[in-house]
Amino acid sequence: MLTDFLAALGTTLLSPWGLVLAVIGTLLGILLGAMPGVSSTMALAILLPISFGMDPHLAILFLLTVFVASVYGGSVTAILINIPGTPGSIVTQLDGYPMARSGRAGQALTYALVSSTLGGLIGLVALVLVAPMLAAAAMEFRSPEFTAVAVFGLVLLAYASPGSTIRGMMVGGLGLLCGMVGFDKLTDIPRFTFDSTALQGGIELVPLCVGLFGFAEVLKNVGAAGRSSGKSVMPAIGKVWPPMKELLSHWKTMLRGSLIGAGVGAIPAAGSAIAVAIAYAQEMRFSKRPDKFGTGVSEGVVAPESANSSSIGGTLIPMMTLGIPGDAITAVLMGSLLIHGLRPGPGLFANNPEFVSGVYSSFFLALILTLIVGLLLMRWVAWVTRIPSHILMVVIAVLCVVGSFAIRNTMDDVYIMLAFGVIGYLLNLLRLPAAPLAFGLILGPLLEENLRRSLILGRGSWEIFINSPIALTLLLMSAAAVLLPLLAPWFVRLRNDLRRTYR
């Protein structure tokens, strides 16, 4: 494993074009992550079409550098102007912004960058150690097990989405319907095409993601962009490096946050936002000065940023081993792999081991480049926050249209992107999560294909799922996840009644 990793890393380092792409991806990731209103998911979605003409190894290298760098870039605005650039940076601003207001903006950025790098390395170690074992176990899966995995993944993704579980499942069901559009693979009968030639080939994942996570953001920011002057008051960067002794004294905080981030990130749909919240809460519990959190303590930056970056490795585990996206960002990343004919799952490790090693080496290189470029640009990247929002939204809208057209050189994909941009905007107005829609499109074909195959093997009997211990366990866990939010209020009322009775 180590030999393959070093070989893949050496190949990338000896490739001038690969290094140029990695540096460009790092720059774009930091800059886009630092722009208010541009999340990591949005950055990856609008840059995804650029990777289509690349070799698969170069494509994943470019996208991973954008991904990793944008995670750190989100902390820049969180620290300097109290606006989280990415969801994972929401907690960072609690102590990062007070540090900046007290004249320690540069030190806060350095804490975030170093913690993010070390956290990412621990997340990479978790990915390298856990993913092959999980993939080996998944190689024993058959159609019933994969059906149960798809159901479990959809339920977890809906359960962890913002808002109620039922609403998340409703949006996920819409994604399942989107996955059925086009010709049926078994019967070759068109479904849900409405006599439109644009829908006969099905709905492509990439235009859906670009519209849902990219163009929808443009629509949401149109009104705000018109009212915004685009200027923000930033504190001076000041001294960049904190005392080395103080920096090294936070190694326990970095380790705790990184382990929490990797563990939580490996849970489908948990994502970085939950990981950083848990890491911050745990650090308060371990701290000798919990009352100081929120006033500008360095641990309040180190803990969430280490968890934020380490969760990247965690989210890649279910995506690469089971084909279940760990969060919205990895759902977009899956689009690139599918475009290049690479289906994430246990077969990826068996059929393309050199590509898996390339993912590991690309992740490592992305972390190192983010550290180097972040240190070099620390005093200048903050000026990105001064770009007028209306100019930024126009540029993103153009990238969405051009990128969608470039997928297959057809306007049909542009229309699909625009349609899902409107759908994403409406979901936001209705306070419904958009990510389950993309997850449903990804997992829908996997669920349908394996469900139908299982019923064929079982001669139409559903007992085939009961006879598989793994499938039965996953289905029972899925049912529990659905019923828990419905039964929880009843249990609370019953507990309160019993307490009043026996007082």
Side-chain angles (χ1 to χ4, degrees):
M1 182 184 301
L2 180 60
T3 305
D4 295 337
F5 170 79
L6 293 176
L9 182 60
T11 301
T12 303
L13 292 175
L14 294 175
S15 169
W17 180 230
L19 281 176
V20 169
L21 274 179
V23 173
I24 292 174
T26 303
L27 286 170
L28 289 174
I30 293 177
L31 295 176
L32 289 174
M35 292 179 181
V38 182
S39 64
S40 296
T41 306
M42 188 177 179
L44 211 60
I46 61 178
L47 295 178
L48 182 60
I50 298 176
S51 67
F52 295 158
M54 302 178 188
D55 179 86
H57 294 278
L58 294 178
I60 198 68
L61 172 64
F62 174 71
L63 294 175
L64 275 177
T65 52
V66 172
F67 185 1
V68 173
S70 66
V71 169
Y72 163 69
S75 67
V76 173
T77 49
I79 291 171
L80 295 181
I81 59 175
N82 205 28
I83 299 176
T86 59
S89 303
I90 293 174
V91 177
T92 303
Q93 71 186 41
L94 298 180
D95 282 279
Y97 185 62
M99 286 184 68
R101 293 292 299 271
S102 64
R104 294 184 294 157
Q107 292 185 16
L109 291 172
T110 300
Y111 276 122
L113 182 57
V114 173
S115 303
S116 183
T117 302
L118 295 179
L121 290 174
I122 292 177
L124 173 60
V125 171
L127 173 65
V128 173
L129 294 178
V130 175
M133 293 188 292
L134 187 57
M139 287 296 292
E140 304 300 322
F141 283 17
R142 299 295 180 262
S143 294
E145 288 80 12
F146 275 115
T147 302
V149 165
V151 171
F152 185 60
L154 282 170
V155 171
L156 273 186
L157 295 168
Y159 187 78
S161 298
S164 70
T165 302
I166 302 302
R167 289 188 174 193
M169 293 185 65
M170 289 171 55
V171 179
L174 181 60
L176 290 177
L177 290 176
C178 291
M180 296 180 182
V181 173
F183 284 96
D184 188 335
K185 292 182 179 179
L186 293 182
T187 63
D188 205 34
I189 296 176
R191 304 178 299 181
F192 304 111
T193 59
F194 305 102
D195 296 325
S196 171
T197 56
L199 297 177
Q200 289 181 356
I203 296 176
E204 290 287 334
L205 176 62
V206 174
L208 180 143
C209 288
V210 172
L212 205 59
F213 301 117
F215 195 71
E217 289 292 329
V218 175
L219 296 179
K220 282 190 286 185
N221 284 279
V222 164
R227 294 188 299 269
S228 173
S229 64
K231 296 182 180 180
S232 55
V233 179
M234 293 184 300
I237 298 298
K239 184 180 178 181
V240 171
W241 278 102
M244 188 58 64
K245 183 179 179 180
E246 183 179 345
L247 183 63
L248 295 176
S249 67
H250 291 312
W251 69 271
K252 291 182 180 179
T253 300
M254 294 181 190
L255 181 60
R256 280 193 294 263
S258 299
L259 293 177
I260 291 172
V264 174
I267 302 172
S272 60
I274 297 176
V276 297
I278 295 175
Y280 189 82
Q282 287 299 307
E283 198 55 38
M284 286 184 66
R285 190 169 70 87
F286 283 106
S287 177
K288 296 179 180 178
R289 46 175 185 171
D291 56 313
K292 296 295 183 181
F293 276 69
T295 63
V297 295
S298 52
E299 299 98 303
V301 174
V302 171
E305 280 304 305
S306 55
N308 194 12
S309 188
S310 67
S311 67
I312 299 175
T315 57
L316 291 175
I317 292 175
M319 186 202 81
M320 293 183 63
T321 58
L322 300 174
I324 298 176
D327 57 5
I329 308 175
T330 48
V332 178
L333 197 61
M334 279 186 68
S336 176
L337 298 184
L338 294 173
I339 286 291
H340 288 285
L342 298 168
R343 177 74 194 185
L348 188 66
F349 288 78
N351 303 325
N352 302 94
E354 70 287 343
F355 179 79
V356 174
S357 299
V359 172
Y360 297 157
S361 63
S362 298
F363 191 1
F364 176 77
L365 187 59
L367 292 168
I368 301 303
L369 283 176
T370 300
L371 176 63
I372 296 172
V373 175
L375 288 174
L376 292 175
L377 297 183
M378 188 171 292
R379 292 189 178 277
W380 294 276
V381 72
W383 292 99
V384 174
T385 61
R386 293 187 178 273
I387 295 178
S389 56
H390 60 278
I391 295 178
L392 179 61
M393 290 301 130
V394 170
V395 172
I396 291 174
V398 172
L399 288 175
C400 289
V401 173
V402 173
S404 300
F405 180 81
I407 298 170
R408 295 183 298 183
N409 292 327
T410 172
M411 286 298 296
D412 292 341
D413 289 329
V414 177
Y415 299 145
I416 290 174
M417 182 275 295
L418 294 174
F420 279 98
V422 174
I423 291 173
Y425 175 69
L426 293 176
L427 290 175
N428 177 70
L429 292 180
L430 297 173
R431 300 186 182 278
L432 294 174
L437 181 60
F439 299 148
L441 181 66
I442 293 171
L443 295 178
L446 176 69
L447 173 62
E448 181 188 13
E449 180 181 347
N450 285 284
L451 175 61
R452 296 169 73 176
R453 187 181 293 128
S454 298
L455 293 176
I456 291 173
L457 293 173
R459 299 177 182 274
S461 173
W462 294 86
E463 291 184 3
I464 191 170
F465 298 104
I466 300 176
N467 295 332
S468 169
I470 296 176
L472 180 60
T473 301
L474 289 172
L475 290 175
L476 290 175
M477 293 172 63
S478 301
V482 173
L483 295 175
L484 185 61
L486 300 177
L487 297 179
W490 183 81
F491 280 116
V492 171
R493 287 197 300 268
L494 178 62
R495 183 191 62 185
N496 294 336
D497 291 340
L498 290 174
R499 285 180 176 176
R500 284 194 295 266
T501 301
Y502 290 103
R503 275 181 181 175

